[in-house]
Amino acid sequence: MNKLLGYFVLLGVVIGAVAVTPAQQKIIYPDRWLYLNSGLQSDKDLEVALDLIRTAAQHGLTAIVLPGMDTLSLASPEYLARLSKVKEIADANHMEIIPEGFGIKYGGAPLEIDKNLAEGLAVKNALFVAKGDTASFVADSSAKLVNGGFEEFDGNRFRGFTTQDEPGKVTFVDTSVSHSGKASLRIENFGERKAVKPNHPVTPLEASGQRDPAMDGVAKISQQIRVKPYRCYRISAWVKTEDVEPAKLFSIKAYTPDGRDLALYEALAPSPTSEWRLVTTAFNSWYADRIDLTFGVFKGVKGKVWVDDVEVEEVGLMNVIRRDGAPLTVRDEKTGVVYKEGLDFAAVSDSNLDFRWSHPMPTIHLLSGSRIHDGARLRVSYYHGTTIYGDADPEIPLCPSTAKVREIWKQQFPLIEKYLAPKRYFLDIGDEQRAMNRDESDKRRNMTASALVGDTTQWLYDQVHAVNPKAQVLVWSDMFDPNHNSVKTYFLVDGSLENTWKYLPKDMGIVCWYFDRRKESLNFFSGHGFKTFASTGPDSAALENPKGWMAVMDGTPGATGIMY
């Protein structure tokens, strides 16, 4: 709390002293918000929240943004009692409460209620072979990593790999440390390395011509692998670390020829020094018939990393989702007969559905009297969900086009009105929608990716006004900002996200948070007549981030406030 108290004092100085025009006239922004990310899961959380509200009010802030308000239909009586206490103390301190929620990125209430509401990635014609009363997956893809055990080498260069960064300088053959066999890959001396811009950009920022911060501290090795389009592949590697910083610097990537990374799940990083551990990720090949499998250190500062026994294998029915818009078909490879679920085979599901990639593959159970004979080769098409990024902050994208998602979302608005009666709503829908327009729920709407974002945003906007016609609606900027994520190619989204801003209601408030391009973002939305807000991030005690935002806001028409 002392650290936060110091922040509020400094923020008051920033608001009062930094925001000064050349004529020495202070600009006092009417909206000065605190993003209250403490949660309300316990009485201790409540105490922290109430202290923050009182402290923020004492230092001139005007509102708190309260995340997670799209799950109130699932809240316990104890949680709702704590929420009511927050409302009471906020009112007593003249602090507005702005509820935040309704995003695709983390799934929210819909995914808590039904995991099958995740966005589906298509797998087409995976091979299953019947034996007895079970049909099991059989890989029929030639995907294979050559020399994944690092046993073949010349000096410090490994055979079979397409590229290897600076052999003998940052990547080494190590014959004294290995998980198995006689050698492993060792990576070190990467902290001062400024890598040359690669053929395959690491993030969509680089793909859109923007600076990619991942290009510092990179040391990697890669190999081109043939894959079949619309298949699912699991990648595993044994990794050992010594005094590394940051702990999560190791990553596995699967780049398409046009530079898109398909392997976005990253397991939880160990401590800076760890013994051998198995790291597992996966990717859906989508439209690609080959990928550059790339692994190594990204954004590394210091330390040593060893890698050994890297394997690639095709998998089937892992994380399969079952709902309207994500159909499953089982077809006889020879005759073309499409078999019926419930008649020829039992209902298919993944009993370990967790959107990770370490659990066993499901099988298909054949029913008595099934038309599927022993030895039959079956081609199975289905959809699966996935986790994006690490277990510390997992993103499991939601499919916004399903009717059930909208039904669940719609239930939350009257509850928000009941417990908070807010003047404003803050929608998460503008925040990093990394997988979209991939399953049939999306496709049958015959919309572009940009139109899907716009339609979902408009629908949520309408739900707010159905319960509170006078409420102002706010949204994160990034999916609508051509200086940020409103770009042609973005993660696992099928189609362009350009010009999404054109679908926004003109009275929508835009909360910008991309600091490096704050001037471009604020000017873009201001120039199109939107009211804008700035969102800072935690940084040093010098508060360079808020100062930088406010310096730009001072020259931005329509800028009305800032959030920490």
Side-chain angles (χ1 to χ4, degrees):
M1 182 57 63
N2 288 338
K3 184 176 181 181
L4 282 169
L5 176 60
Y7 174 84
F8 290 130
V9 172
L10 283 169
L11 184 58
V13 172
V14 171
I15 293 171
V18 175
V20 175
T21 66
Q24 298 300 304
Q25 294 178 332
K26 293 182 180 180
I27 299 177
I28 305 299
Y29 292 101
D31 294 305
R32 305 180 296 278
W33 307 338
L34 170 67
Y35 191 88
L36 191 63
N37 203 18
S38 61
L40 294 174
Q41 301 306 316
S42 68
D43 289 341
K44 185 176 180 180
D45 290 341
L46 176 61
E47 291 177 12
V48 171
L50 298 183
D51 284 345
L52 286 170
I53 292 169
R54 294 184 183 105
T55 304
Q58 291 168 7
H59 291 87
L61 275 70
T62 61
I64 59 168
V65 175
L66 203 58
M69 294 298 101
D70 56 357
T71 59
L72 291 187
S73 65
L74 304 178
S76 67
E78 293 79 12
Y79 179 94
L80 294 173
R82 288 189 285 269
L83 181 62
S84 296
K85 189 64 176 179
V86 167
K87 168 69 170 168
E88 175 188 334
I89 299 303
D91 288 347
N93 286 271
H94 308 289
M95 291 282 284
E96 178 187 355
I97 295 179
I98 304 172
E100 184 206 23
F102 307 100
I104 288 173
K105 182 177 178 179
Y106 294 110
L111 214 58
E112 287 190 42
I113 292 171
D114 186 353
K115 291 181 180 179
N116 294 289
L117 296 174
E119 184 72 23
L121 310 183
V123 170
K124 298 180 181 180
N125 299 319
L127 176 62
F128 281 70
V129 177
K131 184 178 181 180
D133 64 355
T134 302
S136 301
F137 174 77
V138 177
D140 72 337
S141 170
S142 60
K144 183 180 179 180
L145 182 69
V146 176
N147 196 23
F150 302 104
E151 299 298 295
E152 300 177 20
F153 49 84
D154 298 302
N156 277 301
R157 185 177 293 277
F158 292 100
R159 296 174 190 168
F161 286 86
T162 312
T163 61
Q164 180 181 340
D165 287 346
E166 297 189 272
K169 293 184 179 180
V170 297
T171 58
F172 303 84
V173 172
D174 194 326
T175 56
S176 62
V177 177
S178 63
H179 177 257
S180 70
K182 64 183 180 182
S184 69
L185 162 66
R186 186 178 80 249
I187 306 172
E188 60 179 311
N189 304 325
F190 43 77
E192 300 301 320
R193 190 167 189 264
K194 306 297 183 183
V196 177
K197 185 176 180 179
N199 291 329
H200 302 298
V202 176
T203 70
L205 292 178
E206 181 67 13
S208 60
Q210 301 176 29
R211 183 179 66 85
D212 179 6
M215 297 317 299
D216 291 340
V218 174
K220 62 192 184 305
I221 188 169
S222 66
Q223 184 177 132
Q224 188 175 94
I225 296 175
R226 286 281 176 181
V227 295
K228 289 189 175 182
Y230 294 95
R231 296 291 180 88
C232 191
Y233 297 87
R234 178 165 57 189
I235 312 167
S236 60
W238 287 90
V239 180
K240 172 182 166 70
T241 58
E242 180 182 297
D243 194 29
V244 299
E245 184 183 332
K248 61 179 182 179
L249 78 183
F250 177 78
S251 187
I252 301 171
K253 302 180 184 297
Y255 292 125
T256 61
D258 60 356
R260 194 190 300 255
D261 181 17
L262 300 177
L264 296 176
Y265 170 64
E266 297 181 354
L268 188 66
S271 58
T273 298
S274 68
E275 291 303 315
W276 290 103
R277 68 180 182 104
L278 184 63
V279 175
T280 304
T281 187
F283 67 93
N284 183 303
S285 55
W286 197 0
Y287 54 83
D289 62 1
R290 62 191 185 278
I291 56 103
D292 276 354
L293 181 62
T294 302
F295 49 92
V297 169
F298 295 81
K299 301 183 185 180
V301 176
K302 67 172 185 175
K304 296 180 182 180
V305 177
W306 289 265
V307 186
D308 205 356
D309 296 330
V310 183
E311 295 183 355
V312 179
E313 60 174 332
E314 187 186 354
V315 295
L317 285 178
M318 290 189 73
N319 296 308
V320 59
I321 58 173
R322 305 304 313 279
R323 59 170 167 80
D324 178 42
L328 177 143
T329 60
V330 177
R331 176 180 57 84
D332 191 289
E333 180 184 75
K334 184 177 181 180
T335 66
V337 170
V338 176
Y339 296 109
K340 292 185 178 181
E341 193 168 13
L343 178 65
D344 296 302
F345 59 93
V348 175
S349 66
D350 187 344
S351 60
N352 298 300
L353 181 60
D354 62 0
F355 305 109
R356 273 71 163 177
W357 301 99
S358 298
H359 61 263
M361 284 180 269
T363 57
I364 300 174
H365 178 64
L366 307 184
L367 298 175
S368 177
S370 172
R371 294 175 292 168
I372 301 173
H373 61 80
D374 199 58
R377 291 167 62 90
L378 309 173
R379 292 295 174 175
V380 180
S381 298
Y382 62 94
Y383 290 81
H384 69 84
T386 192
T387 297
I388 294 177
Y389 290 155
D391 287 335
D393 188 29
E395 301 175 17
I396 303 172
L398 187 68
C399 179
S401 295
T402 62
K404 190 173 181 180
V405 166
R406 294 194 172 190
E407 290 170 7
I408 295 168
W409 273 346
K410 192 172 184 177
Q411 295 170 8
Q412 313 308 315
F413 292 99
L415 293 172
I416 293 173
E417 284 296 312
K418 176 181 178 180
Y419 288 99
L420 299 177
K423 297 177 181 178
R424 291 186 261 206
Y425 282 73
F426 193 166
L427 302 179
D428 270 343
I429 197 65
D431 187 25
E432 297 172 327
Q433 301 177 29
R434 292 191 171 97
M436 187 179 58
N437 200 25
R438 296 290 298 270
D439 65 39
E440 290 190 15
S441 293
D442 297 320
K443 295 295 185 183
R444 64 192 178 197
R445 300 182 69 191
N446 295 315
M447 290 184 175
T448 63
S450 294
L452 282 171
V453 173
D455 177 80
T456 306
T457 304
Q458 181 67 55
W459 183 87
L460 288 167
Y461 174 92
D462 291 342
Q463 300 313 303
V464 170
H465 287 145
V467 297
N468 188 342
K470 295 182 179 180
Q472 182 185 21
V473 183
L474 312 161
V475 71
W476 288 111
S477 63
D478 48 297
M479 298 306 296
F480 306 99
D481 187 352
N483 302 288
H484 203 168
N485 296 335
S486 179
V487 293
K488 185 175 182 179
T489 302
Y490 187 71
F491 285 89
L492 304 181
V493 175
D494 189 4
S496 172
L497 290 170
E498 296 168 304
N499 296 314
T500 47
W501 69 271
K502 293 182 178 180
Y503 296 93
L504 289 172
K506 284 299 182 180
D507 61 350
M508 185 81 82
I510 311 297
V511 183
C512 302
W513 63 270
Y514 187 16
F515 181 78
D516 289 348
R517 306 199 74 180
R518 58 195 182 280
K519 183 176 181 179
E520 293 89 340
S521 294
L522 287 169
N523 286 344
F524 175 81
F525 289 108
S526 175
H528 287 289
F530 293 97
K531 287 187 177 181
T532 55
F533 306 78
S535 176
T536 72
D539 59 359
S540 67
L543 294 177
E544 294 305 318
N545 187 296
K547 289 179 181 177
W549 275 108
M550 296 187 74
V552 175
M553 287 169 59
D554 289 351
T556 304
T560 66
I562 189 166
M563 174 175 69
Y564 173 75

